[in-house]
Amino acid sequence: MYKVLVTGGLGYIGSHTTVELVNAGFTPVIVDNLSNSRLEVIQRIEKIIGFKPIIHVVDLCDMAAVKFLSEKECDIQGIIHFAACKAVGESSEKPLLCTVYGQPDQLPVTESTPIKPAQSPYGRTKQMAERMLDDVSASNENIRVLSLRYFNPVGAHDSGLIGELPLGVPLNLVPIITQTANNKRSNFTIFGNDYTTKDGTNVRDYVHVTDIAKAHVYALNKLSSYEQSSRYDVYNLSTGRGYSVLEIIETFEEISGVKLDYNVGPRRLGDVDEIWADVHKAENELKWKAQLDLKAIQAMKIIIIGSGPCGLGAAWRAEEVIRYQGLEWKVVEKSDNAGGLAKTIIDDNGFLWDIGAHVIFSHYAYFTSLLDIALPLEEWTVKKREAWVWMRDTCIPYPLQQNLYRLPTDEIIRCMDGLLEVEQKRLSFHKPKNFREWLQQSFGKGLCETFMFPYNFKVWACPLEKMNVEWMGERVATVDVSKVIKNVITKTDDGGWGPNSTFRYPKHGGTGAIWMGLYKKLPSKNFVFSKSVTSIDVKKKEIIYSDGESEHYDALVSTMPLCSLCRVVKGTNMSLDVLRHKASQFRYSSSHIVGFGMQGCPPILLRDKTWLYFPEDNCPFYRVSIFSNFAEDNVPRPGKQWSLMCEIAESVDKPINYNNIIELTEQGLKNTKLIDDRTEIVSHFHIRLEYGYPTPFCGRDALCREISEELEVFEIYSRGRFGSWKYEIANQDHSLMQGVEVIDRILFGVEEMTFKHSNSVNQNRDTNGRQPLPLSY
């Protein structure tokens, strides 16, 4: 996330907004001249967020100081402006700054309510400021502005460390009340009891300061989103009702048990009778809604279904911000432990098996730091990825298209002919309609028939013409024809392509050790295992479990397969039949993981390799990992045993015979010369995963978007490898960050970069940005 300048950042609203910006992943830069704030607030903010934010003590009226600031903080990308003198009575006496609507004819006021002449200099300057901002944004296409209109912020951060701390005599109602309650003042005055209101005191819109702070984050996100088109707009922030002065006093007395001493004086110059705002525009467009009332936090309960990387990411983020929010979170997992598809299983003979060849690499600084939290540095090893293709009875470095010289001569010629043909015709190609066409246009007939078509069908277990082209990005190596020709002539190996040319791996416990490590650092009371979901009533916001129990939620993060979610939800605007039909349109492959533990050491051919790909039909598997090469402790007797882990895809288009799959796989290993009859196999392992890979089928994006948008209307967010159904963001780092970012979306309205903009995430790795916050429990 980027830097945001917060002027008046040590003030009442500014300090709370600074905290919420950090919660949402932004980097605030505070500017304050301390004219109505205290420097000690910076230490209080530091206690809340865990580090000292950037602070500049600068008066914005000092042009030289502002110029210096702009040069020093030249990478500011957003500004939230609070710095101003304000208060109705003060502005009438000292007519310099800061209500926009004046005395309205109709309540509640909307953003389009005609603006009346202001009743005070405070109001007039606000009106002028809005006109100036509109003019500036209209004259400069690089500037976009949102004005937030709100009346009376109240309350304080729930840590008690920051709140309204005015210097001198306070002029706002709530700090006057609190000072009277704690005997800092003997009594106070109500200005007028003859207004045309229900109890004679004027009526205002009071909004909790934390809600206001969050609204500024939502507004900033709106400005930076791809959906923000207009350069200037206005939003009301409101609870949707007004409170009289007497109601505020009575509410305080009810909660605190303190009887307040006050008297009634004359009206204050410039005050209007009553005003509060309509908030539908902010709710609909900013996705913001006030969560706090005058009495207490409306605690949000988030239920997370699934404890794989996405579910744990959501849990971690929820626990990070729990001390700042009225938040309750819970993870419900159908299996008996955490990790999901990234867990590790120990077989009866002590061999370790990941559920598929998982390697760790990172597009995110946040994820990288979490790895070090999950496991200490000494528990990691870094491996060079040695990926090879086994075909034509030989090993060829991956990607094959860069290493054609190792093929038989006649196949080299066919592959080169095809590559040269597509290079000549490239400008005449139409946009490919499916993955098969994309492969043909990218690699030519020879290379497709030799490798691309047979291998990809073995992996995806799906006809390639039924797969879309939006998913690939860095997943498929394209081809540099001149480099291919050079490699063929010079017989040069060219490997190391891809996002995971090196990877981290745990020394002990397999991939599952990472996720168990994170799980153990979260409060165990928030996890429930061996519990599955049978029904979700979206209107009641109620989950029914397989054991007959039920519970309510405010927001739901689901990592179950999206098609499965469609089968358990009810009450949406889509009928059950429509949802079931949409669920039937999803395509996926099941995975068989077949492992072999052997005595001795791996043959020389395999000692330096990570995994091999197999396009031919003399074996059922598409990939074999030399799993003992990942970590010595993946076998019970390191140095004296080794292991192979085979992956086989299954689908309706590629059925598998379960009954003899171990025997078929063992014969495939012999056919491909990885083992022979002399190999002493001491352990066999097999597990079938119903959901192995989310197929990027044609029509996927439109189908997923329609379902997701419908579910999100009811505060259900489907994320993760199968929750988003996006293979391009299905790695462990992507999945965890989907969980982190969806919590930010729910709590702060921050746009989800991974879920919404996968290409941008995959093309631009973050190595120095957002970091995890320390947990509070």
Side-chain angles (χ1 to χ4, degrees):
M1 287 290 190
Y2 52 75
K3 280 186 178 180
V4 179
L5 187 70
V6 185
T7 72
L10 297 184
Y12 179 34
I13 307 174
S15 60
H16 287 78
T17 302
T18 295
V19 169
E20 296 305 326
L21 284 169
V22 172
N23 288 345
F26 293 94
T27 301
V29 177
I30 297 172
V31 173
D32 204 300
N33 68 354
L34 305 179
S35 63
N36 194 36
S37 59
R38 309 174 191 218
L39 196 56
E40 68 188 64
V41 173
I42 198 71
Q43 282 79 39
R44 298 184 180 198
I45 293 173
E46 182 178 1
K47 287 182 179 180
I48 295 172
I49 65 177
F51 62 90
K52 185 178 181 178
I54 303 168
I55 171 74
H56 298 277
V57 179
V58 169
D59 191 327
L60 294 178
C61 295
D62 183 342
M63 290 299 100
V66 171
K67 183 176 185 296
F68 175 79
L69 173 67
S70 66
E71 292 170 350
K72 184 174 179 61
E73 302 290 352
C74 58
D75 52 349
I76 294 292
Q77 292 180 274
I79 299 173
I80 301 178
H81 180 53
F82 295 116
C85 300
K86 60 96 195 170
V88 174
E90 179 186 41
S91 76
S92 295
E93 295 168 13
K94 303 173 185 177
L96 290 175
L97 274 182
C98 314
T99 272
V100 171
Y101 293 108
Q103 179 68 59
D105 295 326
Q106 187 174 348
L107 292 171
V109 294
T110 69
E111 290 82 356
S112 59
T113 295
I115 294 176
K116 296 290 191 70
Q119 302 296 302
S120 67
Y122 172 95
R124 281 194 292 276
T125 53
K126 270 199 168 185
Q127 292 173 353
M128 286 188 286
E130 286 196 0
R131 294 191 192 104
M132 291 167 62
L133 291 170
D134 193 359
D135 291 342
V136 168
S137 61
S139 65
N140 189 328
E141 64 181 12
N142 295 317
I143 295 177
R144 291 183 291 177
V145 179
L146 293 185
S147 291
L148 302 183
R149 295 174 178 171
Y150 44 89
F151 300 98
N152 293 277
V154 295
H157 192 268
D158 60 11
S159 67
L161 291 170
I162 55 175
E164 191 163 14
L165 300 169
L167 295 180
V169 179
L171 297 170
N172 290 342
L173 177 61
V174 173
I176 290 173
I177 288 175
T178 57
Q179 286 191 3
T180 305
N182 63 22
N183 296 318
K184 284 189 176 181
R185 59 191 300 154
S186 58
N187 57 31
F188 63 95
T189 299
I190 295 176
F191 295 104
N193 63 353
D194 57 350
Y195 290 95
T196 55
T197 61
K198 56 186 177 183
D199 60 21
T201 60
N202 54 22
V203 172
R204 293 290 180 272
D205 204 334
Y206 293 88
V207 187
H208 198 284
V209 66
T210 298
D211 280 329
I212 289 176
K214 289 180 182 179
H216 287 83
V217 178
Y218 280 57
L220 197 64
N221 180 61
K222 175 74 172 176
L223 285 171
S224 60
S225 75
Y226 291 80
E227 301 169 0
Q228 172 67 16
S229 55
S230 62
R231 298 218 290 269
Y232 181 78
D233 212 340
V234 175
Y235 293 91
N236 288 334
L237 304 182
S238 171
T239 59
R241 62 155 293 184
Y243 296 87
S244 73
V245 172
L246 283 178
E247 283 182 299
I248 299 295
I249 294 171
E250 290 165 1
T251 299
F252 184 90
E253 290 178 333
E254 177 187 345
I255 295 171
S256 68
V258 176
K259 189 68 177 175
L260 298 172
D261 185 8
Y262 61 88
N263 54 62
V264 178
R267 291 190 181 198
R268 186 170 55 176
L269 181 63
D271 270 345
V272 298
D273 290 26
E274 56 183 338
I275 189 167
W276 68 90
D278 182 284
V279 75
H280 285 89
K281 184 178 178 183
E283 289 181 354
N284 293 330
E285 296 183 17
L286 294 183
K287 309 303 180 186
W288 172 90
K289 186 175 183 179
Q291 298 293 319
L292 310 179
D293 60 18
L294 288 176
K295 293 185 177 180
I297 293 173
Q298 298 172 351
M300 173 172 278
K301 181 178 183 180
I302 299 177
I303 293 181
I304 302 160
I305 300 174
S307 66
C310 182
L312 289 172
W316 190 274
R317 181 61 178 146
E319 187 61 26
E320 277 185 345
V321 301
I322 196 167
R323 58 183 167 180
Y324 313 126
Q325 310 296 328
L327 177 63
E328 176 186 351
W329 64 268
K330 178 180 183 180
V331 174
V332 179
E333 167 61 53
K334 69 177 181 180
S335 68
D336 59 2
N337 58 15
L341 293 176
K343 69 178 59 175
T344 299
I345 297 173
I346 304 176
D347 71 17
D348 293 341
N349 297 301
F351 287 83
L352 272 64
W353 307 105
D354 285 354
I355 306 183
H358 300 302
V359 295
I360 290 289
F361 55 97
S362 177
H363 293 84
Y364 313 86
Y366 186 102
F367 178 79
T368 302
S369 296
L370 271 187
L371 295 179
D372 296 328
I373 292 172
L375 296 175
L377 187 61
E378 62 270 17
E379 283 296 311
W380 288 100
T381 182
V382 177
K383 297 289 184 179
K384 180 182 178 183
R385 186 199 66 181
E386 286 287 344
W388 295 68
V389 179
W390 177 270
M391 60 186 296
R392 311 303 186 254
D393 286 331
T394 191
C395 263
I396 304 174
Y398 178 85
L400 176 75
Q401 55 268 35
Q402 301 293 103
N403 300 282
L404 295 178
Y405 85 90
R406 288 182 178 245
L407 290 172
T409 302
D410 60 331
E411 286 193 302
I412 295 174
I413 294 171
R414 283 201 301 273
C415 291
M416 291 304 304
D417 282 346
L419 284 169
L420 291 171
E421 182 182 6
V422 298
E423 193 68 16
Q424 293 170 351
K425 294 182 178 179
R426 192 170 303 282
L427 295 178
S428 65
F429 287 145
H430 60 76
K431 183 179 179 180
K433 297 176 183 177
N434 54 58
F435 186 39
R436 185 183 182 88
E437 284 191 5
W438 185 89
L439 289 172
Q440 288 175 315
Q441 293 181 12
S442 299
F443 302 106
K445 181 179 179 181
L447 191 49
C448 282
E449 290 179 349
T450 297
F451 178 76
M452 294 295 173
F453 288 168
Y455 175 71
N456 277 287
F457 181 72
K458 284 188 81 172
V459 171
W460 291 107
C462 177
L464 305 185
E465 62 272 15
K466 295 182 180 180
M467 295 173 62
N468 71 29
V469 295
E470 287 78 26
W471 62 275
M472 290 170 292
E474 57 182 26
R475 294 291 190 167
V476 178
T478 51
V479 66
D480 180 338
V481 175
S482 61
K483 195 173 186 179
V484 170
I485 294 172
K486 178 182 176 182
N487 291 346
V488 169
I489 294 172
T490 61
K491 297 187 176 181
T492 300
D493 286 337
D494 185 1
W497 173 88
N500 54 342
S501 55
T502 62
F503 62 94
R504 298 172 67 171
Y505 196 82
K507 291 181 179 179
H508 310 282
T511 297
I514 303 166
W515 306 106
M516 287 303 295
L518 277 185
Y519 158 68
K520 289 177 180 178
K521 288 176 171 58
L522 290 162
S524 59
K525 63 182 177 60
N526 290 46
F527 287 81
V528 178
F529 294 101
S530 302
K531 199 179 188 78
S532 58
V533 175
T534 58
S535 178
I536 302 171
D537 188 320
V538 303
K539 290 182 177 177
K540 293 181 179 179
K541 290 193 170 183
E542 182 181 40
I543 303 178
I544 309 296
Y545 297 108
S546 54
D547 58 7
E549 293 184 352
S550 64
E551 65 180 321
H552 289 86
Y553 62 88
D554 294 301
L556 179 65
V557 177
S558 170
T559 70
M560 70 169 71
L562 185 51
C563 56
S564 300
L565 181 60
C566 288
R567 295 186 181 102
V568 297
V569 296
K570 63 179 182 180
T572 69
N573 297 315
M574 297 179 182
S575 69
L576 292 178
D577 288 342
V578 168
L579 278 172
R580 304 302 184 266
H581 174 67
K582 292 186 181 300
S584 70
Q585 297 177 46
F586 285 85
R587 301 184 71 94
Y588 63 93
S589 62
S590 303
S591 291
H592 292 265
I593 312 301
V594 183
F596 296 86
M598 278 80 67
Q599 289 292 103
C601 297
I604 294 174
L605 173 70
L606 301 179
R607 287 181 186 175
D608 62 344
K609 294 183 173 55
T610 311
W611 59 72
L612 298 93
Y613 301 110
F614 298 84
E616 297 172 314
D617 58 7
N618 61 347
C619 59
F621 40 79
Y622 60 85
R623 178 166 61 179
V624 173
S625 298
I626 301 84
F627 200 50
S628 50
N629 287 352
F630 283 46
E632 290 183 356
D633 278 12
N634 282 351
V635 298
R637 299 173 63 201
K640 296 182 179 181
Q641 293 174 322
W642 63 291
S643 59
L644 294 174
M645 184 172 66
C646 311
E647 296 171 79
I648 303 166
E650 173 202 343
S651 73
V652 293
D653 295 301
K654 184 177 171 290
I656 295 293
N657 185 346
Y658 302 177
N659 296 326
N660 61 346
I661 193 167
I662 292 178
E663 291 79 5
L664 287 173
T665 305
E666 182 176 334
Q667 185 59 52
L669 292 174
K670 292 177 179 178
N671 295 343
T672 54
K673 301 181 181 179
L674 300 192
I675 63 173
D676 57 30
D677 290 336
R678 294 169 299 173
T679 304
E680 184 181 354
I681 300 173
V682 296
S683 187
H684 296 92
F685 173 81
H686 172 234
I687 186 172
R688 178 183 181 273
L689 309 173
E690 174 63 25
Y691 291 95
Y693 282 82
T695 305
F697 56 89
C698 292
R700 176 201 69 171
D701 291 0
L703 179 64
C704 291
R705 187 183 309 114
E706 182 184 11
I707 294 171
S708 293
E709 288 177 356
E710 173 66 15
L711 294 174
E712 287 175 16
V713 170
F714 300 96
E715 300 289 335
I716 297 176
Y717 302 85
S718 186
R719 300 292 186 269
R721 182 180 179 91
F722 277 96
S724 68
W725 213 277
K726 294 183 179 181
Y727 175 70
E728 57 269 37
I729 49 170
N731 288 338
Q732 294 173 84
D733 62 332
H734 295 121
S735 296
L736 177 129
M737 291 307 295
Q738 285 188 60
V740 170
E741 291 173 3
V742 77
I743 296 298
D744 287 344
R745 162 85 180 277
I746 293 168
L747 295 178
F748 310 117
V750 176
E751 187 169 38
E752 300 167 80
M753 288 304 297
T754 304
F755 182 67
K756 288 287 188 72
H757 308 292
S758 57
N759 285 339
S760 177
V761 165
N762 286 330
Q763 292 167 9
N764 301 287
R765 298 192 185 186
D766 169 21
T767 57
N768 298 303
R770 176 182 186 178
Q771 295 291 325
L773 299 176
L775 298 186
S776 59
Y777 89 100

